[in-house]
Amino acid sequence: MPFSHILGQDTALGTIERALRTGRVHHAYRFEGPPGVGKELAAVALAQALVCTAGDPLGCGRCDACRRAAARSAGRPASPLHPDVQIVAKNFYPAAVIGRSRDELTEISVDQIRSIVLAHAAYPPHEGRARVFIVRDAEDLSVGAANALLKTLEEPRQGTHFILLTSRGDRLLNTIRSRTLPVRFAPLSEPIVRGVLRDRGVPEERHDLAVELAAGSASTALELADDEQTASRDAFVKSVLTAAAARDLGPAVAFAESMDRDKGALKDYLRALGAALAREARAAVAADPRSAGLAARRYAAVSRAVVHLERNASPGLAMASLIAELRGAG
Ligand SMILES: [Zn+2]
């Protein structure tokens, strides 16, 4: 059963399943919630239920229609194999497919809405049961794209359904919000995120930090726990602490100057450093109050560095002042 694979979203799934069982599926949903908590899985499950040919109101998951709704073609675009289930997403289609001369770099263009949605939404579904458009990261819709979509979103042809997915519902135009029925998806509980990490074979020793930083998002936790990220984050934490402990200021300055990575990545790294220091402080609090105090002061310095970055300090400057503070804290 398609819905049974989605964990920790009982309220949202209850709403969707009730609509399917009573035959009152809305024509335009807005699935809102943090990234990586199952919104797209739920949208695909709903699409399966709508196109299922086995007569199961919740989708059987086994018939040819259900299988093709969930399977993707290889290559770009990675569209569902079922012709009545379509994805709308930034840069999902090669430019030529949607009549553009260049890729969509910053938004879902009006060209995509015209060629993928409007060109098809006026006709009956290819295979008879329903037509479903899944709009990923709907906050990426350009103003022109959103406006082009409004009329169809409000009064689509019988059997046509829209599912807008967003983690930034506040960024949608009010005209889009008012035409869509919200279904809220919650952050996942810690045991569920741990279960996902375990199922994917992530080594146990990486779970704590990933769960701590992921804020209930399974996809973020998996990213945080992957080999490459873990290795470069560990290297970052080590080089900051080494720089803070070095006798002469040379290595620290060189390190600060090397911090030309983008701010978003640096903030993630600093949060990881903060989490490591916070755990160190907690672990030492009974056995070694002095080192617990040091870790706590260092943790506070890292938190200030994140704030500085958010207030537009340059990465190099923020790192230089962090390293100076870490030295002072000892
Ligand atoms: Zn089916």
Side-chain angles (χ1 to χ4, degrees):
M1 300 295 269
F3 287 104
S4 60
H5 299 301
I6 302 163
L7 302 172
Q9 298 296 354
D10 294 351
T11 311
L13 298 191
T15 303
I16 300 164
E17 292 180 4
R18 211 161 31 248
L20 283 164
R21 286 186 203 283
T22 56
R24 285 203 291 259
V25 179
H26 199 265
H27 60 266
Y29 285 106
R30 183 174 83 243
F31 289 1
E32 277 194 37
V37 298
K39 299 189 298 296
E40 186 159 340
L41 287 175
V44 172
L46 174 54
Q48 287 179 290
L50 289 167
V51 299
C52 178
T53 52
D56 186 329
L58 299 185
C60 72
R62 292 180 305 274
C63 72
D64 188 49
C66 276
R67 285 175 194 274
R68 283 181 296 129
R72 300 299 183 82
S73 63
R76 185 168 178 238
S79 296
L81 297 182
H82 197 297
D84 293 322
V85 181
Q86 284 186 289
I87 306 282
V88 172
K90 180 175 72 183
N91 212 19
F92 186 76
Y93 298 92
V97 172
I98 53 173
R100 288 171 60 84
S101 54
R102 56 194 174 90
D103 280 340
E104 296 168 315
L105 295 180
T106 56
E107 55 191 23
I108 301 171
S109 68
V110 68
D111 308 298
Q112 182 174 166
I113 297 302
R114 286 203 186 107
S115 56
I116 302 300
V117 180
L118 303 184
H120 301 106
Y123 301 100
H126 293 283
E127 298 187 12
R129 282 216 67 213
R131 187 193 288 282
V132 185
F133 294 100
I134 298 172
V135 184
R136 188 188 288 161
D137 295 326
E139 68 275 10
D140 289 341
L141 286 163
S142 72
V143 174
N147 285 332
L149 194 58
L150 285 183
K151 192 166 170 296
T152 310
L153 199 56
E154 186 164 51
E155 282 187 342
R157 194 180 191 289
Q158 178 72 27
T160 293
H161 300 269
F162 289 89
I163 310 166
L164 276 60
L165 314 178
T166 183
S167 55
R168 300 298 311 266
D170 56 317
R171 291 198 182 170
L172 291 175
L173 293 180
N174 281 331
T175 46
I176 293 279
R177 293 181 62 85
S178 66
R179 285 166 174 80
T180 46
L181 190 68
V183 177
R184 302 205 192 282
F185 285 69
L188 299 174
S189 68
E190 188 180 313
I192 287 179
V193 177
R194 283 185 190 279
V196 171
L197 294 173
R198 226 178 359 254
D199 289 348
R200 298 291 187 91
V202 172
E204 199 75 32
E205 69 270 15
R206 294 186 192 166
H207 291 197
D208 284 350
L209 184 62
V211 168
E212 194 167 337
L213 297 179
S217 162
S219 60
T220 306
L222 285 168
E223 271 172 37
L224 288 164
D226 87 8
D227 290 344
E228 203 176 314
Q229 279 234 17
T230 301
S232 57
R233 202 171 50 234
D234 288 354
F236 174 83
V237 170
K238 197 165 163 223
S239 52
V240 172
L241 295 177
T242 307
R247 263 199 214 121
D248 75 299
L249 211 58
V253 171
F255 180 77
E257 282 171 352
S258 76
M259 285 311 303
D260 58 350
R261 46 176 98 247
D262 69 286
K263 272 190 188 182
L266 181 57
K267 263 191 274 183
D268 288 345
Y269 280 40
L270 287 172
R271 288 197 188 97
L273 174 61
L277 291 167
R279 269 183 303 146
E280 196 182 308
R282 281 199 298 274
V285 81
D288 183 359
R290 196 184 158 276
S291 76
L294 170 61
R297 285 194 299 282
R298 288 182 155 181
Y299 171 77
V302 172
S303 304
R304 281 193 295 277
V306 173
V307 172
H308 287 154
L309 276 176
E310 277 164 357
R311 289 187 186 149
N312 269 333
S314 78
L317 207 60
M319 286 308 301
S321 89
L322 169 62
I323 287 166
E325 279 208 66
L326 291 178
R327 294 171 149 230

